[in-house]
Amino acid sequence: MKYALVLVNIKGLGVKTFSYLIGDDIKDVIQIGQAVLVPFGRQGLINAFVVGFSDYISGDFKVKKINKILDETPLFSIKYLKLLEWVANYYCTDFVTVLNAALPMKLIEKNAKVELSVEPIVNNTEDSRITKRQKEILTILKERGKSSLIEFEEIAKTSRATMKKLAELGFVKIQEEYIYRNPLSIFKDTVTEPLFELQGEQITAYEGIKSKLKSQNPILLHGVTASGKTEVYFKLIKDVIDSGKNVLFLAPEIALASQLTKRLAKKFGIKDVAIWHSSISDGEKYDVWQRLYKNEIRILAGARSAVFAPLQNIGLIIIDEEHEGAYKQTNPAPRYDARVVAKRLAQFHQAPLLLGSATPDVSTYYYASNNNNLFEMHKRYNDAPFAKPQVINMQEHGKAAYRNIISKPLQTEISETLERGQQVILLMNRRGYSTYTQCKACGTVIECPDCSIPMIWHSSIKQLKCHYCNKEMSFPEFCPQCGSDALSTSGVGTQKIEVLIKELFPDAQVARIDSDILMKKNAHIELLAKFQKGEIDILVGTQMIAKGLDNPNVTLVGVLSADSGFNVPDYRASERGFQLLTQVAGRAGRGDFKGKVLFQTYNPDYYAFQNAKTQNYKKFFETEIKSREEFDYPPFSQIIRLILSSENNYRAEKSAMEIALRLNTMTEKFGFSEYLETLGPTPCVIEKLNGFYRFQILIKNKLSQKGHDFITKFLNKITIPKDIRMAVDVDPLDIL
Ligand code: ADP
Ligand code: ZN
Ligand code: ZN
């Protein structure tokens, strides 16, 4: 080993790797994962991390020498780098991009926080050498025990000079110390509680899962909302940590991860639990990282990015609400899915991966049941009742509805709820597209005959267009199903709903939460807090309000256009729609008051809708999986999406066409064309973004790993012109 490959983070350059010579002084101790000091141009000595070794370097230039090793304890292992390499390969991106997402920047830039600490060393304060005031200070210090010097000076209202004097006299000890910033310190006073005794279905599920802990495939716990899944996880966690191993526990969102951490700290003690997500400070991350590497943390809870935290000795990985899209990073690259990475991580540690949900991902359910790794709980804990959704058929109620949007029955329910002093949530599904075409008489949506997804209306060319295969058709005069001429493009935004609701209920406090609001930092949290306090009567929002809200005073949930979620041009639309409606139904009546859920729809007979109404996952799954099979969608294929974009519309389209053509030529040449289907290029649903015109190619890979390898190779070989950007998204969340 002559050279070390090191990782640096340079302002303006970003994270990059460079080769350095290993001097004789360090050649016996240098290890992967160590922090080192290297000379770097005009910047002088900078921090770097060792990520690899080699005996040769390509090119003929003078290589500089590593100055010194900063800390002999490495911060990550070869195994860890192997995982990142695997991720880079799977998601068709480069290693440094993955490293960049995985490693907290503070690790590269700065080291631990060193602070002065102070502690009392003499018990007898009845010493004639000190003043009354100094005596007081010592009493405070004895009460608090060892403290940060700065903090203590503030608390005791004293000065550095006084403290130094006390140290000289031998009453206190002041020393430099690594201070771990613990993001959990807010839960400091949490009293620990014993675990609950599991009951009924919980016991069966727990024992079933225990018998599968050696399984190489993910285990699924499918349990309806409030069936007590979390308590089952806790019991399993206890077993694992008792056996000396550690647990990684992921939740889909920061807010949910924080709630979960609080619950974990209550059950397992704050000392053993840590939290990890993108919003804890770099300093806190650095400290948690160190503690993880030193195996001081037994349970790490977090959001998506926690899958990259270097938890050692993993005995179990749990991913709760596994169906949530938030586990997938869409932008920027690496466009990874924490579930996929976790599966790999679990294999590395020979640990089981447990996924849980009330509305599992169709592919997860398919694999788990095929592998006999499926465990189900059908009842709520203590048999608590569900709020039964009621369907408002807009084919009947639409005409009399306020502005064709808010039906009479919903208006009545809203006013009655307000009269009782209770609160209302009104939901517009997902994103409100005004572009799908639906028959108002029978509810039929115009779909592409080849792809089974809604056709999208393009007003510029006055055509309906399929965003998978590019098929075009003119706007039909009559409904192909019932012959009515009541076809129209539909969809309304949350803003409009807010206006209408204010018109109808001028005395109520109305607020709106959607992605516009989310742009303003904290505005969304403030609104939710106000809602929780009862200062808002009616909350209007997109799907983001359906998650995690646990407000006992909410007794009415209205879904205004329950169809729109199903009519997004995406093969997963039915699944997402079903999940959303099932989850949102769980938001009403969580307290002592009985809740009501109203779904407005033009399509009351649609299967996904019917099953969401009765909360029948199994039936939904059975219909859905058949259609996936028929159209070769996941789990029967893998989708890889390429997006080509450019400021020049023509150039973007041209390069997309060239790539599709080359890909087709290649697949034909190798006899794969039947198994590697190229769809498009088509303009993206969001045709222009930040001034860039976007075209997409969808690849349906029916050859699993072999097909994936083929495409990776193909993508690595092609060169993209400078004015064109290409984004590769493996297993994309949506194709908008
Ligand atoms: P899920 O995770 O399936 O939504 P939870 O685990 O949060 O459900 O359980 C719902 C509620 O029921 C929680 O308040 C939980 O504390 C309570 N609960 C669940 N199982 C038990 C049990 N075995 N004993 C006592 N309370 C339980
Ligand atoms: Zn019709
Ligand atoms: Zn099509």
Side-chain angles (χ1 to χ4, degrees):
M1 288 171 352
K2 231 176 126 193
Y3 304 100
L5 195 63
V6 308
L7 192 72
V8 294
N9 187 25
I10 309 289
K11 266 223 172 72
L13 257 183
V15 177
K16 289 257 159 24
T17 52
F18 293 97
S19 289
Y20 281 86
L21 209 58
I22 303 169
D24 285 341
D25 50 332
I26 57 168
K27 81 173 195 305
D28 295 331
V29 279
I30 193 162
Q31 273 184 57
I32 281 187
Q34 280 171 338
V36 292
L37 216 50
V38 296
F40 195 90
R42 252 181 273 151
Q43 318 218 11
L45 292 174
I46 59 167
N47 285 353
F49 279 85
V50 181
V51 293
F53 298 111
S54 66
D55 283 321
Y56 309 95
I57 47 163
S58 55
D60 184 25
F61 53 92
K62 201 168 173 311
V63 185
K64 289 188 191 132
K65 218 171 90 178
I66 291 177
N67 182 281
K68 72 168 181 180
I69 295 173
L70 283 171
D71 188 351
E72 286 199 5
T73 321
L75 282 165
F76 47 84
S77 60
I78 295 180
K79 216 175 177 180
Y80 180 75
L81 292 181
K82 284 251 149 61
L83 175 74
L84 302 193
E85 239 168 291
W86 182 88
V87 172
N89 181 49
Y90 185 87
Y91 289 104
C92 302
T93 184
D94 58 292
F95 179 61
V96 174
T97 304
V98 180
L99 259 175
N100 209 351
L103 286 179
M105 282 308 104
K106 255 298 184 319
L107 280 176
I108 298 174
E109 286 155 5
K110 268 209 190 78
N111 283 314
K113 189 172 172 190
V114 180
E115 259 192 22
L116 292 173
S117 73
V118 58
E119 59 188 311
I121 44 179
V122 172
N123 286 331
N124 179 17
T125 44
E126 298 308 313
D127 193 306
S128 59
R129 289 176 301 166
I130 53 173
T131 64
K132 191 166 154 240
R133 172 70 188 131
Q134 286 170 332
K135 222 180 272 176
E136 270 172 30
I137 292 168
L138 284 177
T139 317
I140 302 174
L141 185 61
K142 264 200 291 182
E143 265 167 29
R144 297 185 56 86
K146 190 173 186 173
S147 312
S148 138
L149 181 59
I150 293 182
E151 269 174 34
F152 181 76
E153 285 165 0
E154 222 174 84
I155 287 159
K157 300 199 174 51
T158 178
S159 67
R160 183 63 49 96
T162 313
M163 294 310 293
K164 274 196 172 152
K165 180 93 193 160
L166 283 170
E168 274 166 33
L169 292 171
F171 288 96
V172 302
K173 188 165 139 198
I174 295 175
Q175 62 185 348
E176 271 199 349
E177 205 155 342
Y178 282 115
I179 306 287
Y180 287 141
R181 283 144 292 197
N182 185 353
L184 288 190
S185 48
I186 38 168
F187 304 142
K188 206 160 46 201
D189 303 319
T190 311
V191 189
T192 53
E193 291 173 352
L195 295 184
F196 288 122
E197 281 292 321
L198 297 185
Q199 291 183 6
E201 290 182 317
Q202 287 177 319
I203 300 176
T204 329
Y206 163 75
E207 278 168 359
I209 294 166
K210 283 229 59 148
S211 73
K212 292 284 182 178
L213 294 185
K214 290 260 172 326
S215 178
Q216 287 280 307
N217 297 308
I219 303 162
L220 174 63
L221 177 56
H222 169 223
V224 297
T225 47
S227 55
K229 292 185 289 297
T230 313
E231 302 302 330
V232 175
Y233 303 145
F234 284 2
K235 195 88 191 331
L236 292 161
I237 291 172
K238 174 117 188 21
D239 295 345
V240 172
I241 59 175
D242 283 350
S243 79
K245 296 208 164 175
N246 303 332
V247 178
L248 176 65
F249 195 151
L250 303 187
E253 269 164 42
I254 293 171
L256 295 176
S258 306
Q259 273 175 30
L260 171 70
T261 313
K262 198 170 166 185
R263 243 168 120 175
L264 283 166
K266 241 189 193 158
K267 299 287 180 181
F268 299 99
I270 176 179
K271 200 173 87 357
D272 287 344
V273 180
I275 188 168
W276 185 281
H277 53 68
S278 55
S279 292
I280 63 171
S281 73
D282 280 346
E284 286 167 340
K285 261 186 203 163
Y286 179 85
D287 294 347
V288 173
W289 190 282
Q290 292 251 337
R291 288 169 63 208
L292 284 171
Y293 209 81
K294 292 177 184 156
N295 205 7
E296 289 173 8
I297 288 166
R298 309 303 313 278
I299 308 168
L300 182 69
R304 176 175 75 214
S305 61
V307 79
F308 290 124
L311 181 65
Q312 311 281 297
N313 196 19
I314 295 176
L316 173 66
I317 303 177
I318 300 170
I319 301 188
D320 194 23
E321 308 286 2
E322 67 88 29
H323 64 279
E324 284 290 347
Y327 285 118
K328 174 90 158 91
Q329 173 153 314
T330 312
N331 267 315
R335 299 182 175 82
Y336 70 95
D337 185 333
R339 295 176 308 169
V340 175
V341 181
K343 186 176 166 198
R344 189 70 188 174
L345 182 65
Q347 285 167 353
F348 270 149
H349 286 265
Q350 297 189 320
L353 169 62
L354 175 60
L355 306 167
S357 173
T359 51
D361 185 311
V362 166
S363 297
T364 307
Y365 194 88
Y366 175 80
Y367 287 123
S369 72
N370 282 359
N371 292 326
N372 271 323
N373 271 0
L374 173 65
F375 300 93
E376 302 190 87
M377 302 197 290
H378 304 284
K379 287 189 193 143
R380 288 190 150 183
Y381 174 71
N382 254 348
D383 250 333
F386 290 101
K388 267 242 164 62
Q390 183 187 333
V391 173
I392 312 288
N393 184 351
M394 292 299 275
Q395 292 169 31
E396 290 164 24
H397 292 278
K399 285 217 172 72
Y402 187 64
R403 301 290 185 90
N404 291 325
I405 294 168
I406 299 159
S407 68
K408 276 270 149 58
L410 181 59
Q411 290 176 41
T412 313
E413 289 294 343
I414 296 175
S415 38
E416 283 175 10
T417 309
L418 295 179
E419 271 162 31
R420 289 194 304 266
Q422 294 166 348
Q423 290 166 287
V424 181
I425 292 177
L426 293 180
L427 188 93
M428 278 301 302
N429 257 2
R430 243 177 147 226
R431 302 164 169 109
Y433 285 100
S434 55
T435 42
Y436 68 90
T437 302
Q438 188 173 39
C439 169
K440 298 258 154 160
C442 76
T444 296
V445 172
I446 307 297
E447 287 184 347
C448 170
D450 296 331
C451 305
S452 167
I453 56 154
M455 303 280 278
I456 294 299
W457 174 245
H458 285 248
S459 51
S460 53
I461 50 166
K462 304 244 175 332
Q463 290 278 311
L464 291 167
K465 201 167 185 145
C466 169
H467 281 256
Y468 278 19
C469 72
N470 232 356
K471 189 184 285 293
E472 285 180 10
M473 61 161 95
S474 51
F475 197 90
E477 260 180 83
F478 303 105
C479 168
Q481 201 65 38
C482 75
S484 154
D485 62 356
L487 286 168
S488 66
T489 56
S490 27
V492 231
T494 39
Q495 249 164 346
K496 180 151 185 199
I497 303 291
E498 186 189 12
V499 172
L500 298 186
I501 289 292
K502 280 181 173 161
E503 284 170 12
L504 278 172
F505 303 98
D507 297 331
Q509 288 300 316
V510 183
R512 170 173 58 92
I513 291 191
D514 55 22
S515 42
D516 296 344
I517 304 279
L518 272 193
M519 296 302 208
K520 298 175 207 139
K521 215 179 169 200
N522 293 335
H524 146 250
I525 295 166
E526 279 164 30
L527 272 180
L528 283 181
K530 269 178 122 179
F531 186 62
Q532 211 77 11
K533 273 190 268 173
E535 290 165 18
I536 294 168
D537 302 314
I538 305 175
L539 189 62
V540 178
T542 47
Q543 90 278 4
M544 60 192 65
I545 60 175
K547 273 178 247 167
L549 251 190
D550 191 2
N551 186 340
N553 202 35
V554 174
T555 55
L556 177 64
V557 174
V559 183
L560 287 152
S561 138
D563 299 348
S564 60
F566 296 122
N567 296 333
V568 178
D570 193 320
Y571 77 90
R572 266 202 190 124
S574 299
E575 178 179 358
R576 295 263 181 254
F578 172 85
Q579 286 164 342
L580 176 64
L581 294 184
T582 310
Q583 297 279 350
V584 81
R587 295 304 127 212
R590 291 174 82 87
D592 299 334
F593 315 113
K594 220 168 140 44
K596 268 205 177 149
V597 183
L598 258 61
F599 293 156
Q600 293 190 163
T601 175
Y602 280 97
N603 203 354
D605 297 327
Y606 185 52
Y607 75 96
F609 197 77
Q610 279 298 325
N611 296 324
K613 194 181 91 184
T614 54
Q615 314 229 343
N616 193 334
Y617 181 84
K618 191 77 193 283
K619 242 174 125 186
F620 160 75
F621 172 80
E622 276 162 5
T623 316
E624 180 67 18
I625 200 79
K626 277 201 199 100
S627 122
R628 298 278 180 101
E629 190 163 20
E630 186 182 343
F631 291 96
D632 290 322
Y633 288 130
F636 302 98
S637 72
Q638 172 185 48
I639 304 238
I640 297 175
R641 181 193 193 200
L642 310 180
I643 301 173
L644 283 302
S645 58
S646 166
E647 281 169 308
N648 179 319
N649 193 9
Y650 168 76
R651 294 271 306 145
E653 184 168 21
K654 183 165 170 270
S655 73
M657 277 159 70
E658 278 167 12
I659 289 171
L661 191 68
R662 282 175 64 180
L663 188 57
N664 277 329
T665 315
M666 283 284 278
T667 51
E668 259 164 48
K669 194 171 143 200
F670 285 85
F672 282 171
S673 37
E674 207 181 310
Y675 309 102
L676 279 173
E677 214 180 304
T678 313
L679 301 174
T682 66
C684 297
V685 177
I686 301 165
E687 289 178 63
K688 199 177 174 191
L689 194 64
N690 300 326
F692 280 74
Y693 293 90
R694 305 161 77 232
F695 287 82
Q696 69 176 4
I697 299 167
L698 292 179
I699 306 165
K700 267 189 202 169
N701 166 23
K702 288 172 256 175
L703 281 176
S704 347
Q705 188 61 45
K706 201 165 148 199
H708 184 278
D709 291 347
F710 181 86
I711 291 160
T712 316
K713 244 195 223 141
F714 171 81
L715 291 175
N716 283 339
K717 257 194 246 147
I718 53 173
T719 41
I720 310 285
K722 277 223 157 55
D723 61 327
I724 309 283
R725 293 189 199 164
M726 181 171 78
V728 183
D729 197 347
V730 178
D731 314 323
L733 199 58
D734 57 41
I735 51 115
L736 300 177

